Amino acid sequence: MAVRVYELSKKLGISNKELVDLLKEHGYTLTSIAVVPDEAVKLIETSHEKKAPVQPEKRENPPVRASEPSQPEPQKVIAPKKEEPKTLQIAIKHAAPRPATKSQQPQPQEAEAHPAEISIVPMTVADIAHKARKQVSEVMLTLLKMGVVATKNQMLAEKNVAELARQYGLTVVTKAPVQAKEEKTAQVQEAGQWESRMPVVVVIGHVDHGKTTLLDFIRKTRVAAKEKGGITQHLGAYEVKTEKGNLVFLDTPGHEAFTLMRARGIKVADIAILVVAADDGVMPQTVDAIKRAKLAEIPIIVALNKIDKATPAQIETAKRQLAQHDLTPEEWGGDTVCLPISAKLGTGIDELLDVIVLQSQLMDLKANISIPARGFVLESTVEKGRGPVATVICQHGILKVGDYFTAGNATGRISSLVNSAGKRIQEVPPSVPVLVAGFSELPHAGDAFEVTTQQAIRKGGVKAPSKTAEIMSKTGTEESEIALIVKADNASSREAVAHGLSQLKSSHRTLSLVYTGVGDISESDIILAADTGAIIYGFHVKVQPHAADLVHKKGVEIKSFDIIYKLIEDVEQLLEAGKPVKMVSKKIGEAIVLKVFDIKGLGIIAGAQVKTGRFIRDGKVIIWRGKHKVGEGSIKGLQRDRKPVKEVHTGFECAFLVDGFDAWEVDDRVECFQEVPA
Ligand code: GDP
């Protein structure tokens, strides 16, 4: 009976990837992860066993002949490797006469008729025997010694062809330059550095079938929470690390972006996990989910959930229903992997993750990291102080702070990248979800995201990064002016807005009212805004039709409001954005030194009792002796009962080292300070 790929790899004690490579070596290219036919299993098992010990040379046919002819029959799930166009083809020439062997049957005529110049594309054992003027059995024996079991008509990987050429003393030469040039041209489109990327996985299925429970279980058990901080930033996707490989899960079942991806022509997920409650079977939303995944042309792996409470009969019914929807389980002769799991108890999850990793390895997901980054917007929101932000996942390229981009109707320049641990990072590789700030306006889930140049944004008619986004992203260390144009529907509302704005104060930014007027926003307002770098605030007004076209061209930002205080609040937010936080030192505790220890290798440690307040790790201290200040520094290590602690409260004894002071004496008075926002 045929076995599943991951079962076979487990049995052989090799990784799925190694197994897939081994199968490739034997001329098999897997198209599905479901099953490996008997014949290939035998071949692989024998080959794997043979790899370690070198077989004694035998004249008789190697045992594999028993299974000959064993060229893999084309099957649904596994197909012989097709010849693929190679970028570098090589030819083999006879270099020197080979030492004759007893069994050798030279075929001089054939050799003459076929000058030994062949391309090293995958070729059969018979082909290479012919070219090398060897008997098929001899080539098979050589291969066996190399750890490769191959039959007469079996395709050999070019790696093995090259090795045989070496062993038979054939010369390997590169192909004629003309053809090489053609191939180079074909290669140009693909030029660049390609690297493997993690698959993005979406969980789909009917309501209440356990999608959220599954995602929660994986997040809790598999996300590297031990890594500092764990997940602190909601990104709508999270990375899962497994021994076999890493994955990215969209953390909302049937994510909106996934739903929209077809409409926008973007591939958000690479693999879909269809959760079907085994006790409930295929339901309307299951059918809908299957349709969407099929339209998206992504592989579906079925997780038959709730097996802890489903009866065997219910499980069979669910499988039958799946088969009716073109997802025939492998044990029924189909090619759909259907794994029994319990999301609640965690049963079968390891195997599920293994299968997803294997599926992704078969898909050989690669990213070209040399081209400008591009991907899609997963989610977006407006964050106070940061303006519009979005989670972006790139499929190609490295995304960097400072990159100019377009995303749907929005444009911008990346002012910050924040990862799932809430940490600011400078760049991010493909498939890793990241929070991007610097958008001109709020993009939509499923929007294409593309890095471009500043010139393209300026020239190409796409809007320049919004003034708001720029202001929001500034660090606030510099004094800057915010220029505004206000257009209101009548004179009294214009007065009200102007008055409201005049009340706003900011210590680090000034507000400049370039112009206030009554009436819809006109072409001349746009031109004025473009010339002065102002943002136009509209109150109860529209943009005149001609002016609307110009907005885009000039890259002017218009903000419309119907409520005055909302308009004022918005400007206030701009003024406050990036405001440097002033820190002050606040005394938080006092202690008296009771003992002084000189510990070799560590330094001089003060043993003290906290008299008031508290002492904190990394706190700043001032040391007093009587009325004299004798030193200051910061606490390097704070311990209580010989254990490192974050803080020690009134009445407790503690020990600490101070960076910058070690002339301790008993009865020294120590004041502890903490930096707090003013
Ligand atoms: P969703 O709507 O598909 O996201 O489904 P939920 O994850 O919210 O699960 C619906 C209900 O099924 C909840 O009460 C879960 O506790 C329960 N549930 C989920 N997985 C399992 C499971 O493996 N076994 C059992 N017995 N209950 C489960």
Side-chain angles (χ1 to χ4, degrees), residues 397-413:
I398 308 279
L399 199 59
K400 299 186 196 77
V401 170
D403 281 347
Y404 287 89
F405 63 82
T406 61
N409 288 329
T411 58
R413 188 175 184 201

Side-chain angles (χ1 to χ4, degrees), residues 206-213 253 305-306 308-309 342-344:
H206 193 71
V207 66
D208 277 350
H209 277 200
K211 301 177 294 293
T212 313
T213 311
N305 192 28
K306 307 197 186 183
D308 54 298
K309 67 175 205 184
S342 168
K344 196 171 172 182

Side-chain angles (χ1 to χ4, degrees), residues 416-452:
S416 73
L417 292 173
V418 175
N419 67 14
S420 59
K423 223 174 120 188
R424 272 175 177 256
I425 48 174
Q426 286 305 305
E427 54 178 53
V428 68
S431 285
V432 178
V434 68
L435 191 76
V436 175
F439 287 84
S440 61
E441 61 185 82
L442 199 64
H444 301 284
D447 274 349
F449 181 98
E450 278 177 31
V451 165
T452 180

Side-chain angles (χ1 to χ4, degrees), residues 390-641:
T391 298
V392 170
I393 295 181
C394 285
Q395 282 143 337
H396 295 287
I398 308 279
L399 199 59
K400 299 186 196 77
V401 170
D403 281 347
Y404 287 89
F405 63 82
T406 61
N409 288 329
T411 58
R413 188 175 184 201
I414 300 179
S415 57
S416 73
L417 292 173
V418 175
N419 67 14
S420 59
K423 223 174 120 188
R424 272 175 177 256
I425 48 174
Q426 286 305 305
E427 54 178 53
V428 68
S431 285
V432 178
V434 68
L435 191 76
V436 175
F439 287 84
S440 61
E441 61 185 82
L442 199 64
H444 301 284
D447 274 349
F449 181 98
E450 278 177 31
V451 165
T452 180
T453 59
Q454 188 179 14
Q455 289 85 342
I457 287 187
R458 282 204 177 130
K459 277 193 221 148
V462 277
K463 267 188 281 172
S466 92
K467 190 82 183 153
T468 307
E470 257 179 47
I471 293 166
M472 290 291 199
S473 68
K474 272 190 186 138
T475 58
T477 47
E478 73 214 68
E479 173 82 10
S480 63
E481 187 188 72
I482 298 172
L484 301 184
I485 290 173
V486 173
K487 289 299 292 279
D489 55 343
N490 57 51
S492 61
S493 54
R494 181 184 71 169
E495 288 311 310
V497 172
H499 175 74
L501 292 175
S502 69
Q503 302 299 302
L504 295 177
K505 297 260 178 310
S506 166
S507 53
H508 71 302
R509 283 191 173 128
T510 54
L511 203 59
S512 154
L513 267 183
V514 174
Y515 171 71
T516 63
V518 173
D520 286 344
I521 298 160
S522 66
E523 278 179 85
S524 60
D525 295 329
I526 308 290
I527 291 162
L528 180 64
D531 289 345
T532 56
I535 303 169
I536 301 179
Y537 275 78
F539 181 70
H540 273 303
V541 293
K542 294 196 215 63
V543 180
Q544 289 176 0
H546 288 309
D549 299 335
L550 210 57
V551 174
H552 205 59
K553 275 194 202 127
K554 295 278 182 186
V556 165
E557 187 175 8
I558 297 179
K559 297 183 137 193
S560 299
F561 294 88
D562 290 326
I563 302 170
I564 288 186
Y565 82 82
K566 289 239 156 126
L567 187 156
I568 306 292
E569 244 184 21
D570 192 87
V571 179
E572 188 174 23
Q573 227 179 25
L574 280 189
L575 284 170
E576 289 307 300
K579 188 176 176 176
V581 185
K582 212 173 148 197
M583 303 295 281
V584 290
S585 236
K586 187 182 162 204
K587 182 174 162 182
I588 55 165
E590 203 171 303
I592 298 291
V593 176
L594 304 177
K595 269 183 194 161
V596 179
F597 309 91
D598 186 354
I599 298 186
K600 225 176 175 184
L602 260 181
I604 309 209
I605 293 171
Q609 187 181 34
V610 180
K611 293 290 180 191
T612 57
R614 62 201 170 96
F615 265 53
I616 55 165
R617 191 168 65 194
D618 302 327
K620 301 266 180 291
V621 290
I622 294 180
I623 302 112
W624 299 88
R625 200 164 292 157
K627 284 185 181 160
H628 302 286
K629 178 178 161 185
V630 289
E632 61 185 340
S634 48
I635 295 178
K636 234 169 42 179
L638 182 65
Q639 294 198 343
R640 202 166 92 73
D641 295 333

Side-chain angles (χ1 to χ4, degrees), residues 213-254:
T213 311
L214 174 65
L215 281 162
D216 285 351
F217 185 88
I218 296 172
R219 181 173 39 225
K220 275 190 209 132
T221 56
R222 294 303 192 123
V223 170
K226 283 155 232 136
E227 275 177 23
K228 258 193 176 162
I231 295 182
T232 57
Q233 177 78 49
H234 170 83
L235 292 180
Y238 57 82
E239 258 179 83
V240 170
K241 295 185 197 292
T242 82
E243 279 167 19
K244 311 246 161 88
N246 298 343
L247 316 157
V248 171
F249 272 86
L250 302 187
D251 74 1
T252 323

